[in-house]
Amino acid sequence: MIRVLLVDDQPLIRSGFRAFLDGEDDIEVVAEAGDGSEGLRLARQHLPDIALVDVQMPVVDGIETTRRIAADPALAGLHVVILTNYGLDEYVFQALRAGAAGFLVKDIQPEDFLHAIRVAARGDALLAPSITRRLIDRYVTQPFDTGDGTATGAVLGQLTNREREAVALVARGLSNDEIADRMVISPMTAKTHINRAMTKLHARDRAQLVVLAYESGLVTPRNS
């Protein structure tokens, strides 16, 4: 059973999502919150698998909520999916850097929404190659503050050459099958390289690998 927490300041949005998700045999909405502070409290109480979190909320916004969830060891198994009305708005890349597994636009088709929930519950990032490329084009090519330097050259030095190659290809927006073709390995081996790199870099998911690869300089926009 996939356990979901809804965090959105609009009751109508929450009730719509709940009614839809509760109709699925393998999904259960365990709690609802109207702001990030309440969402954090309920996340710690219920330990859901997925938190659907709106970006713009009172008290604590979605980005800060995501950051606090990512920093809490007790919530290590919780995958945050950001909800937005605007597609690739200014908050999306900030949310990914804060630890979100991906994002969904609120007018997503119902079948795609259900698929996204199940993908996130497996621990896969909600970043299709096309979305990754759009993020790179719109955000990563712009200068930004690298914060506390999470992925330094020393940290990347922990990766094998093949793991570094796989991470670079993830950051360029390639799927596992495309990475396997490029590296002349099986898709399972490609996934293994990526998972090992995530463990070594303390990345929660594939989305964080994209951010870390660019912040560390492993990949730069001009050669992607």
Side-chain angles (χ1 to χ4, degrees), residues 3-5 30 42-51 75 77-79:
R3 305 172 77 250
V4 177
L5 167 66
V30 296
L42 291 173
R44 292 169 181 137
Q45 176 182 341
H46 294 279
L47 299 177
D49 304 300
I50 301 292
L75 299 177
L78 174 55
H79 304 289

Side-chain angles (χ1 to χ4, degrees), residues 104-212:
L104 296 173
V105 180
K106 289 184 179 180
D107 63 357
I108 188 173
Q109 292 296 315
E111 61 272 18
D112 293 334
F113 179 61
L114 291 174
H115 175 70
I117 295 295
R118 293 176 176 121
V119 165
R122 292 198 304 265
D124 296 331
L126 293 177
L127 285 179
S130 60
I131 297 298
T132 303
R133 294 185 183 110
R134 289 166 64 194
L135 281 168
I136 291 168
D137 290 342
R138 182 160 175 181
Y139 293 105
V140 180
T141 56
Q142 301 174 10
F144 55 88
D145 179 8
T146 57
D148 60 2
T150 302
T152 63
V155 173
L156 287 176
Q158 300 177 36
L159 303 183
T160 66
N161 289 337
R162 295 297 265 174
E163 288 165 356
R164 288 167 65 93
E165 183 179 358
V167 171
L169 293 173
V170 168
R172 292 185 177 116
L174 274 65
S175 66
N176 284 356
D177 287 344
E178 291 170 331
I179 291 171
D181 288 342
R182 185 73 64 89
M183 296 178 66
V184 195
I185 56 179
S186 71
M188 182 60 68
T189 301
K191 185 174 183 180
T192 297
H193 285 319
I194 294 166
N195 288 342
R196 286 177 178 168
M198 286 170 53
T199 298
K200 291 179 180 180
L201 296 175
H202 305 290
R204 290 172 65 92
D205 50 44
R206 197 182 186 98
Q208 289 256 285
L209 277 187
V210 174
V211 176
L212 295 175

Side-chain angles (χ1 to χ4, degrees), residues 19-89:
F20 181 61
L21 293 175
D22 280 347
E24 298 299 307
D25 292 338
D26 61 335
I27 300 175
E28 175 189 10
V29 176
V30 296
E32 299 179 25
D35 62 68
S37 178
E38 184 184 11
L40 285 162
R41 180 183 64 79
L42 291 173
R44 292 169 181 137
Q45 176 182 341
H46 294 279
L47 299 177
D49 304 300
I50 301 292
L52 295 175
V53 179
D54 189 24
V55 170
Q56 295 178 301
M57 296 184 294
V59 188
V60 178
D61 66 23
I63 294 172
E64 182 58 27
T65 300
T66 301
R67 187 175 293 112
R68 294 183 190 181
I69 287 173
D72 189 339
L75 299 177
L78 174 55
H79 304 289
V80 176
V81 177
I82 293 293
L83 297 170
T84 174
N85 287 314
Y86 309 109
L88 285 175
D89 61 34

